[in-house]
Structures are given as structure tokens and as C-alpha cells.
Amino acid sequence: GVAELATFLQGDAEKLPVEAGAFDAIICECAFCTFPDKPTAAAEFTRVLQPGGQVGLSDLTRTGPIPDDLQGLLAWIACIADARPIPEYAAYLEAAGLRVATIEPHNEALAQMVHAIQGKLLGAELLTKLNKLTLPVTINFAEAKALARSAAQAVQSGQFGYAIITAQRPA
């Protein structure tokens, strides 16, 4: 009974196609790290929020450099290439005029996701070897599993994490 309350638009996060003050809430799920101009995107959040409006931002986080074996195209596909430390995400929001209300690390969620990917890779490899699964592309399972192991180790060591940050536009 609330479908008429939701509208979906496609647009550039750094130039949202809506009027100022159009929203009372924004959810940015695992995307902020992919925005090339993060300060502009954060400023757009502030622009399109009504006074008192809130932002919920969840994203991958990192501390330190990306391990060498996780560099390159995979880093961009997995959204880790430009993941930022939690304080940087908060600073982008605050610099845009938002007040950070909560910061919740949820690193265990990322660890569970990586573990699930490892399980799916193993299942796909076994099914392919048993001729029960035909993939449209050739996959180097040894390389994929090695990358997943590296990612799991990076999450376990605290190099990568996941966090939820909420912020509010002052009234």
C-alpha cells in the first residue's frame, strides 16, 4: 500500500536530476566508494535533502593500502579500489554540511559475503568439472579462489570492512 510513495530515477550522483529539498531521506548502499568526485556527491545529498532530512550511507571501508594481489580490475569490480577509511566518509558528509549521527562498523557482514563467494566459487568449479554446469565464459577457478582467499585474509586482518553511517541535514 505504499508503492505510490516511491519513485525511482536514474541519474548521476554528482548532479542529481531533482530539485533542491526534494527528499526527506537518502539511502546510498555500497556506491559512494565508486563516485569519482565524492565531495560533490556529498554536496548533492545535502542539496536534495529537506532540512532535517537524513542520509543512510553504507559502504566498504579500508585501512591502509590495497594488497598487491587485489589491485587492478578486480579492485574496481569488487568496489574496493576507492573504499575509504570510516573517518573519511564521515568527513565528506560533514564538509557538505551534514551532521553525522551514527557510525556502525559491520565488518562481519563483509566477512560473511566473502565466505559466501568462496562457497559459490567452489560449487561452480565442482559442477563445471562434473559437466552439470556450463558457463558462458571460461573462468580460471584457481585464480578466482586465490583472489577470494586474499580478500578473506584482508577482511580478517581488518584491512577491509563495511560500515553504516547516518547523517542529517540541519533543520
Side-chain angles (χ1 to χ4, degrees):
V2 295
E4 70 280 355
L5 299 176
T7 303
F8 295 90
L9 300 171
Q10 182 175 344
D12 183 339
E14 297 166 10
K15 189 171 174 39
L16 294 169
V18 296
E19 295 180 21
F23 298 110
D24 56 3
I26 293 172
I27 298 172
C28 184
E29 163 58 25
C30 240
F32 198 82
C33 69
T34 67
F35 300 159
D37 186 350
K38 292 167 184 51
T40 298
E44 277 294 274
F45 291 174
T46 303
R47 181 186 72 79
V48 302
L49 275 175
Q50 299 172 1
Q54 297 184 36
V55 173
L57 185 149
S58 61
D59 221 320
L60 294 172
T61 63
R62 91 175 140 97
T63 57
I66 297 172
D68 289 342
D69 55 346
L70 293 176
Q71 297 267 349
L73 180 60
L74 176 70
W76 287 104
I77 292 170
C79 295
I80 60 175
D82 207 21
R84 313 306 310 154
I86 291 172
E88 283 188 37
Y89 287 118
Y92 286 125
L93 298 174
E94 289 171 345
L98 299 168
R99 279 195 309 247
V100 172
T102 62
I103 297 174
E104 298 177 6
H106 288 277
N107 297 345
E108 72 286 346
L110 181 59
Q112 290 171 1
M113 183 182 77
V114 171
H115 182 71
I117 289 169
Q118 288 176 305
K120 290 177 183 181
L121 277 170
L122 179 59
E125 180 181 31
L126 291 173
L127 290 172
T128 301
K129 286 181 179 180
L130 293 171
N131 294 319
K132 301 287 185 184
L133 176 66
T134 304
L135 298 173
V137 296
T138 302
I139 295 178
N140 181 335
F141 283 105
E143 181 181 351
K145 290 188 304 184
L147 289 170
R149 268 192 310 277
S150 287
Q153 290 169 350
V155 171
Q156 188 176 18
S157 71
Q159 288 178 286
F160 293 113
Y162 184 79
I164 298 171
I165 301 171
T166 64
Q168 185 173 35
R169 180 176 173 188

